[in-house]
Amino acid sequence: YTATQAGHASALLMMSGTTGGIVVGTLARRLKKQLDFFKISYCISSLAFITLMLLLREPEVFPAIMCALSVVGFFGIGCFPLSLELSVEETFPLDPVYSETAIHFPAMTYAFVLINICNNLNWEANQAVADTCGDAIQPLDYTPYFYYLMAEITVSSCLMLFVINPQ
C-alpha cells in the first residue's frame, strides 16, 4: 500500500476514534451504563482488530482495511475515555493521577516488549508477492506476530468480560 493510503488510514482511525469517543461516552453517561458500554465496545473493537490483522495479510483489499480501521477506531478509541473514567471511580478517593499512571505506564512499557517481539516474530516474505520496498529494505511476513496479537486480544477480551467488574 502507498504512503498516501497509509496517511488516509491514519486519518480515518483518528477521525473515527474521536467520533467514537464522543458518541460512546455520551451514550454511556446518558444511559448510566458505562461498564456495559465499555465491555461491548472493547469486544467489538477486538473483533474488528482481529479482522484488520487478517486483512493486512492480503493484497489489494484497501477498502476492507478502511472499514475495519473505522470500527477499530470508533469502538477501540471510543471506549478508552470510559476505561479512564471507570479506573478513576475504582480508585476513589485516591487522586486520579494514580489510576491514569496505572493505565499508561504499563501500556507504554509493554509497547517496548511488543516492538521486540515484532522484530523477531516474522517469516521471510513470500516471493510471489511483488516487492515494492526497494533494494535497501527487506520485506518480511509478520503473520506469526499477527497470530500472537490475535491470541492476546482474545484472552484480554475474555478477561475484560468476565474478570473486570468494578463496583
Side-chain angles (χ1 to χ4, degrees):
Y1 297 103
T2 67
T4 302
Q5 288 173 317
H8 288 166
S10 297
L12 177 68
L13 183 66
M14 288 186 274
M15 288 174 20
S16 63
T18 302
T19 304
I22 293 167
V23 171
V24 171
T26 302
L27 285 174
R29 278 188 213 89
R30 188 162 288 158
L31 298 174
K32 299 191 185 326
K33 299 280 186 184
Q34 284 93 335
L35 184 60
D36 295 336
F37 271 80
F38 173 68
K39 287 184 176 190
I40 291 168
S41 293
Y42 189 89
C43 289
I44 291 172
S45 71
S46 296
L47 291 172
F49 198 70
I50 289 170
T51 303
L52 176 65
M53 284 186 280
L54 292 171
L55 289 170
L56 285 172
R57 298 185 62 243
E58 304 299 325
E60 307 303 323
V61 291
F62 188 67
I65 289 172
M66 294 294 275
C67 290
L69 264 177
S70 65
V71 176
V72 168
F74 187 89
F75 289 104
I77 299 173
C79 76
F80 187 68
L82 287 176
S83 70
L84 295 178
E85 185 177 330
L86 290 169
S87 68
V88 168
E89 292 293 327
E90 273 303 294
T91 59
F92 183 79
L94 292 176
D95 192 279
V97 73
Y98 296 114
S99 62
E100 295 273 341
T101 302
I103 289 174
H104 292 294
F105 184 72
M108 297 304 161
T109 304
Y110 190 53
F112 288 110
V113 173
L114 285 178
I115 289 168
N116 285 316
I117 291 172
C118 176
N119 288 334
N120 295 297
L121 197 56
N122 53 55
W123 293 329
E124 294 294 321
N126 184 353
Q127 299 303 325
V129 177
D131 176 10
T132 60
C133 297
D135 294 333
I137 299 173
Q138 172 68 32
L140 297 170
D141 182 355
Y142 289 98
T143 300
Y145 179 66
F146 286 176
Y147 289 158
Y148 169 78
L149 288 179
M150 288 181 220
E152 191 172 278
I153 289 167
T154 301
V155 169
S156 71
S157 294
C158 291
L159 289 173
M160 187 64 59
L161 281 175
F162 302 114
V163 175
I164 306 296
N165 289 308
Q167 304 300 317

